[in-house]
Amino acid sequence: MSFSEKYPENIPWDLNIDQSQSKSIRWMLSKADIVYTFTRSRIDDNYVYIQKNDGNRKAYKEYEARYTYQRLFDEGYSLAAFS
């Protein structure tokens, strides 16, 4: 039996925010002392940077970042946004 995940909708970077402003916003999911930071690429909208705590920032395809965000949110991580 195969399990198919539903495509995550209503991700914060989907909001209708001025395009130039949305590139400077960081969305943070936190739980206890673990923090994941999501930032849209300023060069290519098809990529989102994800960083765990003070680790290295890594670029992911937008759809991969979308699923990662949704899984963390479902695990109980809380959302905060900073610009």
Side-chain angles (χ1 to χ4, degrees), residues 56-69:
N56 292 333
R57 214 169 60 144
K58 185 175 176 189
Y60 290 87
K61 293 266 189 187
E62 196 273 338
Y63 73 89
E64 290 176 298
R66 182 176 286 273
Y67 280 102
T68 301
Y69 174 90

Side-chain angles (χ1 to χ4, degrees), residues 19-20 22-24 39-49 57 59-60:
Q19 195 69 7
S20 62
S22 75
K23 303 248 183 197
S24 65
T39 312
R40 298 262 344 210
S41 171
R42 293 178 183 227
I43 300 168
D44 188 346
D45 282 341
N46 294 318
Y47 290 91
V48 174
Y49 292 103
R57 214 169 60 144
Y60 290 87

